[in-house]
Amino acid sequence: MEFLTHLPNLTAFALTLMLTLLLPRLMERLHLPGPVGYILAGIILGPNLLAVLNPDGKVVNFFADIGKLLLMFFAGFEVDIDQFNRARRKAATFGLLTFACPFVLAAAVGATMGYPPIACAVIGAVLASHTLLGLPIVKKHDLMGNEPVVATVGATVLTDMLSILVLAICLPIHVGGFEPAALVIQLAWLAVYVPGVLWGLSAAARWLLGVLGTSKAAHTTIVLLAIAIAAQVAEWIGMEGIIGAFLAGVALKRALGNSGREDALEVISQALFIPVFFITAGFLVDFKLFFATLRDQPLLVIGILAALFGGKWLAAQAAGRLFGYQVAERSLMFALTVPQVAATLAVALVAYATKNPAGQRLIDEPVLNATVVLVIVSSVVGLILAERAARGVAAPAVTSPPADGAPPSTGTRVVPP
């Protein structure tokens, strides 16, 4: 099928659009989540099968990066600010639990396999974060206002920040030893960055709207500019861009409210950018590498998968029971925190590329390969679990007020008081 690798750009684009239209709907008919179809499209179009799309192509990677940022932006934008403020302690508690449980289990797996403490900490950081691949499913079932979902979305920011912070601490130690000053500087930047985005971008967006007007074109341009600035500054201070995109969503929700003018950006995001992000996740599926890793490092792969699923499940159960959530709601929290893509790959790839003066990598190739397996399995399983859990949460019609310390939730939608 070498002729497929030389298809004209428009033909390859048309083929991609066709698969992104058909495969998600096929998955839904098979009672699987639609985003699985995008990942399947990536497997088919990627370098390991038809090779229609070039995974190293600048356009594909740019679209995927924009899709990843937009996915996190809308996650922040769709959070009810008042409800988030009432649930912030729950989000922080769940964030700490869903970071700590898989982190400890994964670090223990690394230690059992003979890795040094610094590598064990990075292995833990790889598993501790998560990517909200299930948000389109949650939105489809109209559950973005559900308190456990709000707490989970808020927890995502904390887990990503902590994972990147662990990496930021481990990198200089591996290369040249521990430097307390570097850690202090990183924490100082974080303390300045988060409030700067939340309040600074809100004020800047209001000012720009007053200058440029409130047309859809101006509105969309301001949103994209805010996302780009927040993500770029996050990367400049050593954090992951998705954290900036999420915070930009929260900030612009404060500034813009539910104006409805973000609909145009959301349409193009759901039709093009976000599907491309899922497609690039499918590029990672190399069946030779997949089965070779399973054959050569079965204990490492099984241990890492067990640490992920066990740790995320323990965190969801502990937090859910503490907050009085129902079984289906706890299952949804678990499902949303299982997929490992954005921050996971960022931490793993940076750690793999980092060498000390002796030429030793921070994490070796078996760990990187196991991470690829982790991304594949967690993405597919997480989406399937999210679809099932979302249906279970959406089924009841009872609602309950969502305040910290309020009576336990007995329904799905939280009605603002």
Side-chain angles (χ1 to χ4, degrees), residues 133-148:
L133 295 185
L135 277 184
I137 296 170
V138 171
K139 186 177 180 182
K140 180 183 72 174
H141 290 280
D142 195 25
L143 294 176
M144 287 303 296
N146 179 261
E147 185 187 285

Side-chain angles (χ1 to χ4, degrees), residues 72 99 128-132 155-166 239-240 242-243 246 342-344 347:
M72 291 302 297
F99 175 86
S129 64
H130 54 265
T131 303
L132 293 171
T156 303
V157 180
L158 184 58
T159 60
D160 287 351
M161 286 183 175
L162 290 175
S163 294
I164 301 298
L165 183 60
V166 169
M239 304 297 288
E240 179 66 20
I242 56 176
I243 295 174
F246 176 84
T344 299
V347 172

